[in-house]
Every structure is written in C-alpha cells, then in structure tokens.
Amino acid sequence: MRFELIDTVIAAEGDKLTAIKNVTAAEEYLGDHFPTFPVLPGVMMLEAMVQAARKLLGSKVPEKGPWVLAEVRNVRYGNMVRPGQQLRVEVELLKSDQDRHSFQGRGLVEANVAVQGRFTLRPAQKSPAQH
C-alpha cells in the first residue's frame, strides 16, 4: 500500500522544505486512534516529516532514491493533531555523508509543536533480483 501524507509543498529553498498535511475525518486510521477522540497518530506525523525530506532529496539527488528511513533520534511529541487541522511540516537537511542524509524536522499545528526530531534517510537497498 502506498500513501501520500503530504498534500502540498508550500516552500522549498536550498536545504529546507515546508509542506502541509491536511488532517481529515475521512482518514481510515483515525477511526481506531482513538474511537471517541480521533488524533493523527505519532508515527504518521513522523512519516509526514520523512515524506517531506524525500521530496527535498528528490530535487537534489533524484538518481539515488528511493529513500528509506535509516535512523530516528530525539523525537518528541507535543500537541495533538485532530481532524480539520493542518500539520505544517518543516524539514532541513543538516548533513550529507556519502549516501546518508540527516534531517531536523518538526510539525506544527498553528504555532504549536506537534512533533520534532532528527532522522536519517539512505537509499533503499536493491534485492539481488533487482540488480
């Protein structure tokens, strides 16, 4: 299953990208998280930051992708994101080392931090059948 959490990129300049994730009640996973109090799961907030970083890398080194998550560090969650709200995702490329790219990311609801942390992406390894 493939899913896109990033609805639109609103700015991309240099090593930074800003995107929007609109959270709607129609998103299937919200029915279970939590049934009487739906909120965007933390792992989906992290995935939105990863998808924004992939878009940034796609514009810089498209021949190296697809990009997979290699490491996550210091992720902290703040405010909840509810249906009808927007998660503003901001990522910044901090360091590129061979095929590993480290990012600082955060997700904001209005001016409040919902998620923030550091993570690293690397190219997906091809299986022997793909060579």
Side-chain angles (χ1 to χ4, degrees):
M1 180 166 97
R2 182 174 171 85
F3 58 95
E4 286 288 327
L5 293 176
I6 300 300
D7 293 310
T8 188
V9 172
I10 58 174
E13 185 176 319
D15 290 340
K16 296 181 180 181
L17 184 135
T18 304
I20 297 294
K21 160 64 179 139
N22 293 304
V23 180
T24 69
E27 294 174 66
E28 190 175 318
Y29 50 81
L30 292 178
D32 294 326
H33 196 270
F34 299 97
T36 60
F37 188 78
V39 296
L40 184 65
V43 70
M44 296 300 212
M45 289 188 236
L46 176 59
E47 177 63 19
M49 291 192 308
V50 168
Q51 287 184 13
R54 283 185 188 127
K55 289 185 180 296
L56 181 59
L57 283 180
S59 68
K60 292 181 162 300
V61 283
E63 70 283 355
K64 296 280 188 169
W67 301 98
V68 296
L69 188 60
E71 181 180 20
V72 177
R73 302 182 73 182
N74 302 324
V75 173
R76 295 190 320 240
Y77 295 93
N79 287 11
M80 292 182 221
V81 187
R82 300 195 35 107
Q85 294 183 312
Q86 284 187 334
L87 181 66
R88 178 186 174 101
V89 179
E90 301 172 347
V91 294
E92 179 179 5
L93 178 62
L94 299 176
K95 181 180 173 185
S96 290
D97 210 7
Q98 294 179 358
D99 280 341
R100 295 177 64 88
H101 305 277
S102 298
F103 292 86
Q104 172 71 42
R106 69 181 186 162
L108 303 163
V109 176
E110 296 167 7
N112 302 307
V113 175
V115 62
Q116 63 184 352
R118 292 179 179 231
F119 56 95
T120 301
L121 299 181
R122 64 163 175 77
Q125 294 178 347
K126 295 181 179 178
S127 68
Q130 291 176 310
H131 287 285

mmCIF file of all heavy atoms in Angstrom, residues 80-106:
data_model
loop_
_atom_site.group_PDB
_atom_site.id
_atom_site.type_symbol
_atom_site.label_atom_id
_atom_site.label_comp_id
_atom_site.label_asym_id
_atom_site.label_seq_id
_atom_site.Cartn_x
_atom_site.Cartn_y
_atom_site.Cartn_z
ATOM 1 N N MET A 80 -1.555 17.487 20.052
ATOM 2 C CA MET A 80 -2.246 16.522 19.196
ATOM 3 C C MET A 80 -2.746 17.221 17.937
ATOM 4 O O MET A 80 -2.967 18.429 17.935
ATOM 5 C CB MET A 80 -3.420 15.911 19.944
ATOM 6 C CG MET A 80 -2.985 15.035 21.085
ATOM 7 S SD MET A 80 -4.404 14.309 21.858
ATOM 8 C CE MET A 80 -3.938 14.467 23.556
ATOM 9 N N VAL A 81 -2.908 16.432 16.876
ATOM 10 C CA VAL A 81 -3.422 16.950 15.610
ATOM 11 C C VAL A 81 -4.749 16.248 15.358
ATOM 12 O O VAL A 81 -4.804 15.032 15.249
ATOM 13 C CB VAL A 81 -2.451 16.691 14.441
ATOM 14 C CG1 VAL A 81 -2.939 17.384 13.183
ATOM 15 C CG2 VAL A 81 -1.039 17.154 14.801
ATOM 16 N N ARG A 82 -5.815 17.035 15.258
ATOM 17 C CA ARG A 82 -7.165 16.500 15.133
ATOM 18 C C ARG A 82 -7.714 16.738 13.731
ATOM 19 O O ARG A 82 -7.233 17.603 13.014
ATOM 20 C CB ARG A 82 -8.077 17.147 16.178
ATOM 21 C CG ARG A 82 -7.557 16.865 17.590
ATOM 22 C CD ARG A 82 -8.537 17.147 18.673
ATOM 23 N NE ARG A 82 -9.907 16.868 18.338
ATOM 24 C CZ ARG A 82 -10.602 15.844 18.803
ATOM 25 N NH1 ARG A 82 -10.046 14.987 19.617
ATOM 26 N NH2 ARG A 82 -11.864 15.676 18.472
ATOM 27 N N PRO A 83 -8.731 15.973 13.344
ATOM 28 C CA PRO A 83 -9.370 16.223 12.045
ATOM 29 C C PRO A 83 -9.805 17.680 11.923
ATOM 30 O O PRO A 83 -10.275 18.279 12.885
ATOM 31 C CB PRO A 83 -10.580 15.280 12.063
ATOM 32 C CG PRO A 83 -10.178 14.178 12.989
ATOM 33 C CD PRO A 83 -9.342 14.838 14.050
ATOM 34 N N GLY A 84 -9.587 18.239 10.731
ATOM 35 C CA GLY A 84 -9.893 19.644 10.483
ATOM 36 C C GLY A 84 -8.701 20.565 10.667
ATOM 37 O O GLY A 84 -8.757 21.735 10.305
ATOM 38 N N GLN A 85 -7.608 20.036 11.203
ATOM 39 C CA GLN A 85 -6.414 20.846 11.412
ATOM 40 C C GLN A 85 -5.377 20.542 10.333
ATOM 41 O O GLN A 85 -5.455 19.526 9.643
ATOM 42 C CB GLN A 85 -5.813 20.581 12.791
ATOM 43 C CG GLN A 85 -6.705 21.030 13.925
ATOM 44 C CD GLN A 85 -6.058 20.823 15.283
ATOM 45 O OE1 GLN A 85 -5.529 19.751 15.575
ATOM 46 N NE2 GLN A 85 -6.100 21.853 16.110
ATOM 47 N N GLN A 86 -4.421 21.446 10.203
ATOM 48 C CA GLN A 86 -3.303 21.259 9.279
ATOM 49 C C GLN A 86 -2.031 21.038 10.075
ATOM 50 O O GLN A 86 -1.788 21.727 11.063
ATOM 51 C CB GLN A 86 -3.083 22.498 8.414
ATOM 52 C CG GLN A 86 -4.053 22.682 7.304
ATOM 53 C CD GLN A 86 -3.642 23.840 6.401
ATOM 54 O OE1 GLN A 86 -2.964 24.764 6.815
ATOM 55 N NE2 GLN A 86 -4.079 23.780 5.170
ATOM 56 N N LEU A 87 -1.228 20.086 9.623
ATOM 57 C CA LEU A 87 0.110 19.890 10.164
ATOM 58 C C LEU A 87 1.068 20.544 9.182
ATOM 59 O O LEU A 87 1.155 20.144 8.019
ATOM 60 C CB LEU A 87 0.421 18.400 10.307
ATOM 61 C CG LEU A 87 1.786 18.047 10.896
ATOM 62 C CD1 LEU A 87 1.868 18.491 12.368
ATOM 63 C CD2 LEU A 87 2.062 16.561 10.773
ATOM 64 N N ARG A 88 1.743 21.582 9.640
ATOM 65 C CA ARG A 88 2.758 22.258 8.817
ATOM 66 C C ARG A 88 4.085 21.558 9.084
ATOM 67 O O ARG A 88 4.591 21.579 10.205
ATOM 68 C CB ARG A 88 2.835 23.732 9.189
ATOM 69 C CG ARG A 88 3.883 24.500 8.419
ATOM 70 C CD ARG A 88 3.984 25.926 8.955
ATOM 71 N NE ARG A 88 5.065 26.631 8.346
ATOM 72 C CZ ARG A 88 4.935 27.502 7.365
ATOM 73 N NH1 ARG A 88 3.742 27.786 6.894
ATOM 74 N NH2 ARG A 88 5.987 28.106 6.864
ATOM 75 N N VAL A 89 4.623 20.922 8.069
ATOM 76 C CA VAL A 89 5.835 20.107 8.203
ATOM 77 C C VAL A 89 7.020 20.896 7.665
ATOM 78 O O VAL A 89 6.997 21.354 6.524
ATOM 79 C CB VAL A 89 5.672 18.778 7.425
ATOM 80 C CG1 VAL A 89 6.932 17.947 7.530
ATOM 81 C CG2 VAL A 89 4.462 18.009 7.928
ATOM 82 N N GLU A 90 8.043 21.030 8.496
ATOM 83 C CA GLU A 90 9.261 21.739 8.103
ATOM 84 C C GLU A 90 10.442 20.796 8.277
ATOM 85 O O GLU A 90 10.612 20.215 9.351
ATOM 86 C CB GLU A 90 9.464 22.976 8.981
ATOM 87 C CG GLU A 90 8.318 23.965 8.902
ATOM 88 C CD GLU A 90 8.428 25.096 9.909
ATOM 89 O OE1 GLU A 90 9.264 25.004 10.850
ATOM 90 O OE2 GLU A 90 7.672 26.071 9.771
ATOM 91 N N VAL A 91 11.225 20.615 7.227
ATOM 92 C CA VAL A 91 12.424 19.785 7.310
ATOM 93 C C VAL A 91 13.619 20.574 6.802
ATOM 94 O O VAL A 91 13.499 21.410 5.903
ATOM 95 C CB VAL A 91 12.291 18.457 6.528
ATOM 96 C CG1 VAL A 91 11.247 17.562 7.160
ATOM 97 C CG2 VAL A 91 12.002 18.674 5.074
ATOM 98 N N GLU A 92 14.758 20.296 7.409
ATOM 99 C CA GLU A 92 16.012 20.919 6.996
ATOM 100 C C GLU A 92 17.082 19.848 6.906
ATOM 101 O O GLU A 92 17.271 19.064 7.841
ATOM 102 C CB GLU A 92 16.438 21.984 8.003
ATOM 103 C CG GLU A 92 17.745 22.659 7.646
ATOM 104 C CD GLU A 92 18.159 23.724 8.638
ATOM 105 O OE1 GLU A 92 17.494 23.900 9.666
ATOM 106 O OE2 GLU A 92 19.187 24.379 8.366
ATOM 107 N N LEU A 93 17.779 19.814 5.778
ATOM 108 C CA LEU A 93 18.901 18.908 5.589
ATOM 109 C C LEU A 93 20.079 19.454 6.385
ATOM 110 O O LEU A 93 20.532 20.574 6.149
ATOM 111 C CB LEU A 93 19.260 18.797 4.102
ATOM 112 C CG LEU A 93 20.449 17.931 3.742
ATOM 113 C CD1 LEU A 93 20.224 16.481 4.153
ATOM 114 C CD2 LEU A 93 20.734 18.026 2.250
ATOM 115 N N LEU A 94 20.546 18.667 7.347
ATOM 116 C CA LEU A 94 21.646 19.107 8.205
ATOM 117 C C LEU A 94 23.000 18.634 7.718
ATOM 118 O O LEU A 94 23.993 19.351 7.823
ATOM 119 C CB LEU A 94 21.438 18.590 9.638
ATOM 120 C CG LEU A 94 20.180 19.060 10.353
ATOM 121 C CD1 LEU A 94 20.076 18.377 11.712
ATOM 122 C CD2 LEU A 94 20.187 20.574 10.506
ATOM 123 N N LYS A 95 23.036 17.400 7.194
ATOM 124 C CA LYS A 95 24.325 16.803 6.849
ATOM 125 C C LYS A 95 24.118 15.718 5.801
ATOM 126 O O LYS A 95 23.177 14.936 5.883
ATOM 127 C CB LYS A 95 24.943 16.192 8.110
ATOM 128 C CG LYS A 95 26.283 15.543 7.938
ATOM 129 C CD LYS A 95 26.763 14.993 9.278
ATOM 130 C CE LYS A 95 28.026 14.190 9.110
ATOM 131 N NZ LYS A 95 28.447 13.558 10.364
ATOM 132 N N SER A 96 25.014 15.685 4.824
ATOM 133 C CA SER A 96 25.038 14.606 3.842
ATOM 134 C C SER A 96 26.396 13.945 3.920
ATOM 135 O O SER A 96 27.432 14.611 3.840
ATOM 136 C CB SER A 96 24.807 15.147 2.428
ATOM 137 O OG SER A 96 23.484 15.580 2.287
ATOM 138 N N ASP A 97 26.385 12.639 4.106
ATOM 139 C CA ASP A 97 27.609 11.867 4.266
ATOM 140 C C ASP A 97 27.503 10.636 3.383
ATOM 141 O O ASP A 97 26.751 9.719 3.710
ATOM 142 C CB ASP A 97 27.739 11.462 5.734
ATOM 143 C CG ASP A 97 29.177 11.318 6.176
ATOM 144 O OD1 ASP A 97 30.074 11.650 5.406
ATOM 145 O OD2 ASP A 97 29.367 10.867 7.319
ATOM 146 N N GLN A 98 28.183 10.615 2.266
ATOM 147 C CA GLN A 98 28.066 9.558 1.261
ATOM 148 C C GLN A 98 26.596 9.433 0.872
ATOM 149 O O GLN A 98 26.054 10.361 0.300
ATOM 150 C CB GLN A 98 28.664 8.254 1.754
ATOM 151 C CG GLN A 98 30.153 8.326 1.945
ATOM 152 C CD GLN A 98 30.731 7.027 2.468
ATOM 153 O OE1 GLN A 98 30.033 6.064 2.722
ATOM 154 N NE2 GLN A 98 32.037 7.005 2.637
ATOM 155 N N ASP A 99 25.944 8.327 1.196
ATOM 156 C CA ASP A 99 24.542 8.152 0.841
ATOM 157 C C ASP A 99 23.605 8.283 2.033
ATOM 158 O O ASP A 99 22.467 7.832 1.998
ATOM 159 C CB ASP A 99 24.329 6.780 0.184
ATOM 160 C CG ASP A 99 24.728 6.792 -1.279
ATOM 161 O OD1 ASP A 99 24.821 7.889 -1.866
ATOM 162 O OD2 ASP A 99 24.946 5.709 -1.830
ATOM 163 N N ARG A 100 24.055 8.899 3.108
ATOM 164 C CA ARG A 100 23.205 9.120 4.290
ATOM 165 C C ARG A 100 22.967 10.615 4.439
ATOM 166 O O ARG A 100 23.907 11.398 4.378
ATOM 167 C CB ARG A 100 23.855 8.539 5.539
ATOM 168 C CG ARG A 100 23.996 7.017 5.478
ATOM 169 C CD ARG A 100 24.711 6.458 6.685
ATOM 170 N NE ARG A 100 23.998 6.664 7.923
ATOM 171 C CZ ARG A 100 23.069 5.835 8.413
ATOM 172 N NH1 ARG A 100 22.759 4.745 7.742
ATOM 173 N NH2 ARG A 100 22.479 6.082 9.554
ATOM 174 N N HIS A 101 21.712 10.959 4.654
ATOM 175 C CA HIS A 101 21.327 12.369 4.745
ATOM 176 C C HIS A 101 20.543 12.579 6.036
ATOM 177 O O HIS A 101 19.512 11.949 6.251
ATOM 178 C CB HIS A 101 20.488 12.767 3.531
ATOM 179 C CG HIS A 101 21.187 12.471 2.240
ATOM 180 N ND1 HIS A 101 22.106 13.327 1.695
ATOM 181 C CD2 HIS A 101 21.123 11.405 1.419
ATOM 182 C CE1 HIS A 101 22.572 12.809 0.569
ATOM 183 N NE2 HIS A 101 21.989 11.626 0.385
ATOM 184 N N SER A 102 21.055 13.476 6.888
ATOM 185 C CA SER A 102 20.458 13.722 8.197
ATOM 186 C C SER A 102 19.614 14.988 8.164
ATOM 187 O O SER A 102 20.025 16.005 7.594
ATOM 188 C CB SER A 102 21.538 13.865 9.261
ATOM 189 O OG SER A 102 22.273 12.671 9.347
ATOM 190 N N PHE A 103 18.450 14.911 8.808
ATOM 191 C CA PHE A 103 17.482 15.999 8.811
ATOM 192 C C PHE A 103 17.047 16.358 10.215
ATOM 193 O O PHE A 103 17.013 15.515 11.105
ATOM 194 C CB PHE A 103 16.211 15.580 8.052
ATOM 195 C CG PHE A 103 16.418 15.391 6.589
ATOM 196 C CD1 PHE A 103 16.852 14.181 6.087
ATOM 197 C CD2 PHE A 103 16.164 16.428 5.697
ATOM 198 C CE1 PHE A 103 17.041 13.987 4.733
ATOM 199 C CE2 PHE A 103 16.353 16.253 4.348
ATOM 200 C CZ PHE A 103 16.792 15.036 3.863
ATOM 201 N N GLN A 104 16.668 17.612 10.374
ATOM 202 C CA GLN A 104 15.921 18.091 11.534
ATOM 203 C C GLN A 104 14.527 18.381 11.000
ATOM 204 O O GLN A 104 14.388 19.022 9.953
ATOM 205 C CB GLN A 104 16.541 19.371 12.103
ATOM 206 C CG GLN A 104 15.720 20.042 13.183
ATOM 207 C CD GLN A 104 15.704 19.267 14.479
ATOM 208 O OE1 GLN A 104 16.724 18.749 14.921
ATOM 209 N NE2 GLN A 104 14.543 19.165 15.085
ATOM 210 N N GLY A 105 13.517 17.896 11.686
ATOM 211 C CA GLY A 105 12.159 18.148 11.230
ATOM 212 C C GLY A 105 11.261 18.533 12.374
ATOM 213 O O GLY A 105 11.550 18.254 13.548
ATOM 214 N N ARG A 106 10.167 19.195 12.016
ATOM 215 C CA ARG A 106 9.146 19.486 13.012
ATOM 216 C C ARG A 106 7.812 19.643 12.315
ATOM 217 O O ARG A 106 7.737 19.979 11.130
ATOM 218 C CB ARG A 106 9.486 20.690 13.867
ATOM 219 C CG ARG A 106 9.462 22.009 13.153
ATOM 220 C CD ARG A 106 9.845 23.113 14.108
ATOM 221 N NE ARG A 106 9.689 24.395 13.444
ATOM 222 C CZ ARG A 106 9.611 25.550 14.068
ATOM 223 N NH1 ARG A 106 9.687 25.575 15.392
ATOM 224 N NH2 ARG A 106 9.464 26.659 13.412
#
